[in-house]
């Protein structure tokens, strides 16, 4: 078959390939980026779906508007306002089939072959694949424990004049980094100064441990003149409610939102109205705060357990920043005392010891750091985390 040339720009996800190796009985996996299914509010979602069918069965089961089911758009706008984005209205957002579709719509509407797009190094693997599919030339901006290096980012913007900049400011995947308040303001200021579009992806912002993170770029944009018209915000219920609902949303300037809606119409007509009606009823019922409180407490305990176990079992062979939220520990092998210092090599040794993680290499669009790795603490309980990290320690020393 003669496939489209654009497929030459992408390859199968390294994470999906890794999952093929996980059939070994008894393996402990830190590889997935999934929330724990035990955290799903099954009773609340059941009540919400029943209510959706009781109140508006025709609307819940029929075709719907491409922009989204209006009661859900109203609930999502209110949800964003409750998180500090004061001026978000229903007409400012469309509902997408997960935030992944929002990224795809941005690729379709903004990227022409050869356009430059700046992403963090490391960043979400599916973003790299998606933007490359549309022919983008990706430029990597360095990340440290406080998120993207804004000084380096501004130099890259001035040099490359990108079509847009893609960031995950709050507990990024895979870095887990939290962009500081000062750097958030700098990002918005440079957007206005250079007239560069910023895309804020925020699937993890509600999964914080202890103190809440700084306001989103969207919330802060009201205080930085000229930045709101250069800001796109992608949100999702997947990590906090249920990935199976496939409910995300896209907030963007009106002209871009109209183009994205047109492209979505070509793609899937609309996101499942039944899923949207269920999500709308769930948010309307006011169950989200209690659900988030439960999820945060469980993930915080697991994150601490993983950090403690890594320090105990691997010591100076590994370096990482203790996550303040999200689902991941991003770590770097130091090679201390001649121990393994390549994440790809360690991944194979770890499988032999009965534990899995994702090497860091695929998360870089350029100049990958082969010493890095991503560990998810979301789906394993504390005992499994301790055992899994102990096995990881054996693999490092093997």
């Amino acid at each position: 078959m003669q496939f489209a040339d654009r497929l030459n720009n992408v390859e199968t996800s390294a994470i999906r390939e890794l999952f093929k190796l996980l059939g070994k009985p008894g393996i402990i996996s830190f590889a997935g980026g999934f929330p724990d299914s035990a955290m799903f509010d099954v009773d609340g979602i059941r009540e919400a779906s029943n209510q959706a069918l009781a109140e508006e069965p025709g609307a819940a089961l029929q075709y719907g508007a491409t922009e989204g089911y209006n009661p859900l758009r109203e609930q999502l706008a209110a949800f964003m306002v409750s998180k500090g984005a004061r001026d978000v209205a229903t007409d400012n957002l469309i509902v997408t089939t997960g935030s992944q579709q929002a990224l795809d719509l941005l690729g379709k509407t903004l990227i022409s072959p050869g356009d430059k797009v700046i992403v963090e190094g490391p960043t979400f693997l599916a973003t790299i694949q998606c933007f490359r599919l549309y022919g983008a030339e990706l430029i990597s901006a360095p990340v440290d424990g406080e998120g993207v290096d804004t000084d380096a980012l501004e130099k890259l913007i001035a040099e490359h004049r990108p079509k847009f900049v893609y960031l995950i400011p709050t507990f990024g995947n895979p870095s887990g980094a939290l962009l500081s308040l000062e750097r958030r303001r700098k990002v918005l200021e440079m957007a206005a100064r250079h007239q560069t579009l910023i895309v804020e992806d925020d699937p993890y912002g509600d999964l914080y441990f202890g103190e809440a993170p700084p306001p989103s770029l969207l919330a802060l944009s009201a205080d930085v003149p000229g930045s709101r018209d250069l800001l796109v915000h992608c949100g999702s219920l997947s990590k906090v409610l249920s990935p199976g609902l496939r409910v995300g949303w896209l907030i963007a300037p009106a002209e871009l939102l109209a183009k994205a809606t047109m492209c979505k119409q070509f793609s899937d007509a609309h996101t499942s109205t039944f899923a949207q009606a269920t999500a709308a009823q769930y948010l309307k019922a006011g169950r989200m705060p209690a659900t988030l409180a439960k999820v945060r407490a469980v993930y915080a305990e697991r994150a601490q357990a993983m950090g403690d176990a890594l320090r105990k079992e691997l010591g100076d062979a590994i370096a990482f920043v203790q996550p303040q939220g999200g689902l991941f520990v991003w770590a770097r092998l130091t090679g201390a005392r001649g121990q393994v210092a390549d994440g790809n090599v360690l991944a194979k040794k770890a499988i032999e010891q009965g534990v899995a993680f994702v090497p860091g290499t695929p998360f870089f669009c350029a100049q990958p750091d082969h010493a890095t790795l991503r560990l998810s603490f979301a789906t394993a309980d504390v005992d499994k985390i301790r055992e899994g990290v102990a096995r990881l320690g054996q693999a490092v020393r093997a």
Side-chain angles (χ1 to χ4, degrees), residues 15 120 122-123 125 128 173-174 330 358-365 374:
I15 297 176
E120 293 165 299
T123 193
L125 176 56
I128 295 174
N173 176 7
W330 178 249
V358 182
T361 303
F363 297 103
F364 293 87
C365 72
R374 189 193 76 176

Side-chain angles (χ1 to χ4, degrees), residues 141-144 147-154 179 183:
V143 170
D144 60 26
V148 69
D149 180 333
T150 46
D151 291 336
L153 175 60
E154 184 153 27
L179 193 66
R183 290 190 183 185

Side-chain angles (χ1 to χ4, degrees), residues 196-266:
T196 298
L197 187 70
I198 305 293
V199 175
E200 175 183 37
D201 197 3
D202 190 30
Y204 307 99
D206 290 307
L207 297 179
Y208 55 85
F209 312 146
E211 185 178 347
S216 66
L217 296 179
L218 182 66
L220 288 172
S221 65
D223 301 325
V224 181
S227 65
R228 179 58 185 274
D229 291 336
L230 293 160
L231 186 64
V232 174
H233 181 94
C234 304
S236 174
L237 293 182
S238 291
K239 301 302 188 291
V240 296
L241 184 56
S242 160
L245 287 175
R246 305 308 302 133
V247 170
W249 59 96
L250 175 67
I251 299 171
E255 186 179 13
L256 174 53
L257 210 58
K259 296 292 188 185
T261 302
M262 179 181 69
C263 289
K264 178 173 168 61
Q265 190 172 23
F266 305 153

Side-chain angles (χ1 to χ4, degrees), residues 116 118-119 139-142 148-162 165 190 194:
K116 294 182 178 181
I118 296 177
V119 302
I139 311 296
S140 181
V148 69
D149 180 333
T150 46
D151 291 336
L153 175 60
E154 184 153 27
K155 291 176 183 176
L156 290 171
I157 289 174
E159 177 184 354
H160 294 285
R161 306 304 304 168
V165 176
M190 72 177 71
H194 295 279

Side-chain angles (χ1 to χ4, degrees), residues 30 306 309-310 313-314 384-393:
F30 300 141
M306 180 168 279
L310 287 170
E313 300 290 345
L314 279 78
K384 280 276 177 64
I385 287 171
R386 289 171 178 157
E387 173 60 25
V389 174
R391 295 179 186 181
L392 188 62

Side-chain angles (χ1 to χ4, degrees), residues 326-386:
L327 303 179
F328 308 109
V329 170
W330 178 249
R332 191 173 191 281
L333 299 168
T334 66
R337 299 184 309 284
Q339 296 177 96
V340 61
D342 186 309
N344 298 285
V345 173
L346 181 60
K348 295 174 182 176
K349 289 177 174 286
I351 289 286
E352 294 172 1
Q353 296 291 337
V355 62
F357 64 86
V358 182
T361 303
F363 297 103
F364 293 87
C365 72
Q367 299 160 337
D369 183 348
H370 298 289
T372 54
L373 58 146
R374 189 193 76 176
L375 302 159
S376 173
F377 48 78
T379 57
D381 61 29
V382 169
D383 289 340
K384 280 276 177 64
I385 287 171
R386 289 171 178 157

Side-chain angles (χ1 to χ4, degrees), residues 5-300:
D5 290 343
R6 72 176 67 91
L7 294 182
N8 297 331
N9 299 325
V10 295
E11 57 187 23
T12 304
S13 166
I15 297 176
R16 299 294 177 198
E17 291 300 308
L18 177 66
F19 284 155
K20 295 178 182 178
L21 304 175
L22 302 185
K24 182 179 175 182
I27 200 159
I28 296 173
S29 177
F30 300 141
F34 309 144
D36 189 345
S37 57
M39 297 292 100
F40 299 157
D41 182 7
V42 177
D43 291 339
I45 293 173
R46 182 184 296 113
E47 288 179 19
S49 62
N50 289 338
Q51 195 66 25
L53 291 173
E55 284 190 12
E56 289 192 289
L61 298 176
Q62 185 55 277
Y63 286 113
T66 302
E67 293 88 341
Y69 180 61
N70 210 54
L72 176 60
R73 294 173 77 199
E74 292 172 351
Q75 289 295 329
L76 291 174
F79 184 55
M80 295 306 300
V81 169
S82 74
K83 296 197 291 181
R86 301 186 296 273
D87 57 349
V88 174
T90 305
D91 290 343
N92 300 140
L93 65 87
I94 63 171
V95 179
T96 58
T97 305
S99 61
Q100 183 66 47
Q101 187 185 49
L103 299 179
D104 183 66
L105 291 173
L106 291 172
K108 284 179 177 174
T109 55
L110 294 174
I111 298 173
S112 297
D115 282 346
K116 294 182 178 181
V117 175
I118 296 177
V119 302
E120 293 165 299
T123 193
F124 182 37
L125 176 56
T127 301
I128 295 174
Q129 295 170 314
C130 175
F131 293 166
R132 279 188 174 152
L133 185 65
Y134 292 108
E137 178 187 340
L138 298 182
I139 311 296
S140 181
V143 170
D144 60 26
E146 291 188 10
V148 69
D149 180 333
T150 46
D151 291 336
L153 175 60
E154 184 153 27
K155 291 176 183 176
L156 290 171
I157 289 174
E159 177 184 354
H160 294 285
R161 306 304 304 168
K163 204 66 172 286
F164 61 88
V165 176
Y166 170 82
L167 303 174
I168 312 175
T170 310
F171 314 128
N173 176 7
S175 71
L178 177 62
L179 193 66
S180 66
L181 179 60
E182 179 185 7
R183 290 190 183 185
R184 288 172 193 246
R185 294 189 188 280
K186 285 184 177 180
V187 167
L188 293 171
E189 289 165 358
M190 72 177 71
R193 186 161 52 248
H194 295 279
Q195 290 295 289
T196 298
L197 187 70
I198 305 293
V199 175
E200 175 183 37
D201 197 3
D202 190 30
Y204 307 99
D206 290 307
L207 297 179
Y208 55 85
F209 312 146
E211 185 178 347
S216 66
L217 296 179
L218 182 66
L220 288 172
S221 65
D223 301 325
V224 181
S227 65
R228 179 58 185 274
D229 291 336
L230 293 160
L231 186 64
V232 174
H233 181 94
C234 304
S236 174
L237 293 182
S238 291
K239 301 302 188 291
V240 296
L241 184 56
S242 160
L245 287 175
R246 305 308 302 133
V247 170
W249 59 96
L250 175 67
I251 299 171
E255 186 179 13
L256 174 53
L257 210 58
K259 296 292 188 185
T261 302
M262 179 181 69
C263 289
K264 178 173 168 61
Q265 190 172 23
F266 305 153
S267 296
D268 65 358
H270 60 82
T271 298
S272 163
T273 46
F274 182 56
Q276 290 186 74
T278 298
Q281 290 290 344
Y282 189 91
L283 292 171
K284 181 181 175 182
R287 296 181 68 113
M288 185 62 83
T291 295
L292 285 172
K294 176 183 176 183
V295 169
R296 288 169 187 151
V298 170
Y299 289 163

